[in-house]
Amino acid sequence: MIVEPDTPAETEAANQQRVDAIVAQGPGGAFALAGVAVAIVMLIWFAFYFLVFVARGGA
């Protein structure tokens, strides 16, 4: 069962406070995900460099 508040103004104010609290925490998860993605790309690049390019004698 969904319980709705009596007045829509209370709902909007409560929702705005929740949104403000979430936004105040910042985009930490997005930065963490981007950092992990960059680390994976760099690991793949180094693996290719050492296992293929250097192994064939290219310098």
Side-chain angles (χ1 to χ4, degrees):
M1 173 186 254
I2 298 175
V3 178
E4 296 183 9
D6 295 333
T7 60
E10 291 176 7
T11 303
E12 290 178 21
N15 285 342
Q16 187 60 42
Q17 287 177 344
R18 287 180 26 203
V19 168
D20 290 342
I22 292 168
V23 171
Q25 293 176 357
F31 287 134
L33 180 64
V36 169
V38 169
I40 290 170
V41 169
M42 290 182 69
L43 286 172
I44 292 170
W45 187 86
F46 278 114
F48 178 81
Y49 178 76
F50 287 113
L51 297 175
V52 176
F53 186 70
V54 174
R56 293 183 73 194

